[in-house]
Amino acid sequence: MGSQWGADRFYKKAVSEGYRSRAAYKLRDIQNRFNIIRSDDNIIDLGAAPGSWMQVLRELTAGKIIGIDLNPIASIEGTQAITGDFTTDAVQQKITSMVHEVNVVVCDASPKLSGQKSYDQARAVALSEEALLFAIKVLKPGGNFVVKSFQGEMFNELLELARENFYSVRVYRSRAARRGSSEAYIIAKNFKGITNVA
């Protein structure tokens, strides 16, 4: 019951405040605690649909905001959206043509869940790793990265890769997460600017 109550509370708040999903409050919570976004940052949001993080980002920065998702993202004023796979060369080249400098990459994406816990966790961590590899490619030195993942067998490997490439790495569970969830965010700040990928 507690989990459902939490979902209802944040869902109702999102509706009343005009956000597309309750996930908006996870990003607000992360920003309040870690100050990952500055007022002029250019930001890429991976797995951005339906767009609630893009809505929050638009409130936090005057820089460019580009959202990428396999599904179309309904228009949000002052942002740009790409429908496609962020791991492909075509999408990455398109981003390069749209923004000359990327200060922050965020990713709240999740794979479609099968209900098999270990399998779903492995797929979620693999997706998070793809997001991290993308961030390493596009971020300027000193940039920040936030990614959702799920704590399981492969989580520590993902964390270690983040630590190799950023000076400050923390793991954080948002207060807006559903109770009982193994969801956690990796908050990686101050990109070293040297590609440390095995």
Side-chain angles (χ1 to χ4, degrees):
M1 289 297 292
S3 170
Q4 187 60 44
W5 176 85
D8 286 348
R9 181 164 71 102
F10 284 106
Y11 173 76
K12 288 174 182 175
K13 191 175 182 185
V15 170
S16 69
E17 296 186 359
Y19 292 120
R20 295 182 179 180
S21 82
R22 69 197 301 281
Y25 302 104
K26 298 176 187 178
L27 181 56
R28 287 211 153 279
D29 184 20
I30 290 166
Q31 173 66 5
N32 290 339
R33 188 162 293 245
F34 297 100
N35 195 32
I36 55 161
I37 296 158
R38 294 150 292 210
S39 61
D40 59 349
D41 280 344
N42 296 328
I43 305 173
I44 296 177
D45 183 0
L46 305 176
S52 60
W53 275 33
M54 291 173 69
Q55 290 176 295
V56 174
L57 293 171
R58 182 71 290 161
E59 297 166 5
L60 296 174
T61 179
K64 284 192 174 181
I65 296 166
I66 301 171
I68 306 168
D69 201 284
L70 295 172
N71 299 307
I73 303 165
S75 177
I76 296 170
E77 187 175 353
T79 70
Q80 297 170 284
I82 298 171
T83 303
D85 182 344
F86 70 81
T87 67
T88 63
D89 289 340
V91 168
Q92 292 176 13
Q93 287 167 11
K94 189 168 186 179
I95 291 162
T96 304
S97 71
M98 294 169 71
V99 60
H100 70 284
E101 184 177 86
V102 178
N103 308 100
V104 181
V105 174
V106 298
C107 179
D108 192 43
S110 295
K112 289 185 178 177
L113 301 179
S114 68
Q116 296 179 359
K117 188 174 180 181
S118 60
Y119 175 70
D120 288 338
Q121 284 181 339
R123 290 177 65 231
V125 172
L127 179 60
S128 303
E129 184 175 347
E130 291 285 2
L132 174 55
L133 294 174
F134 173 92
I136 290 167
K137 282 184 183 178
V138 304
L139 277 176
K140 66 168 288 189
N144 297 332
F145 172 63
V146 174
V147 65
K148 177 170 72 180
S149 193
F150 293 86
Q151 291 174 302
E153 290 179 15
M154 299 163 57
F155 184 78
N156 286 339
E157 294 175 25
L158 176 65
L159 200 57
E160 187 56 37
L161 182 59
R163 287 176 174 145
E164 288 171 7
N165 287 279
F166 292 83
Y167 286 107
S168 171
V169 177
R170 303 279 298 276
V171 176
Y172 180 63
R173 279 187 48 77
S174 172
R175 292 173 297 175
R178 289 184 174 89
R179 289 178 197 169
S181 171
S182 63
E183 170 185 297
Y185 287 87
I186 293 176
I187 316 294
K189 298 182 71 173
N190 198 1
F191 177 51
K192 294 178 181 180
I194 304 165
T195 304
N196 289 318
V197 180

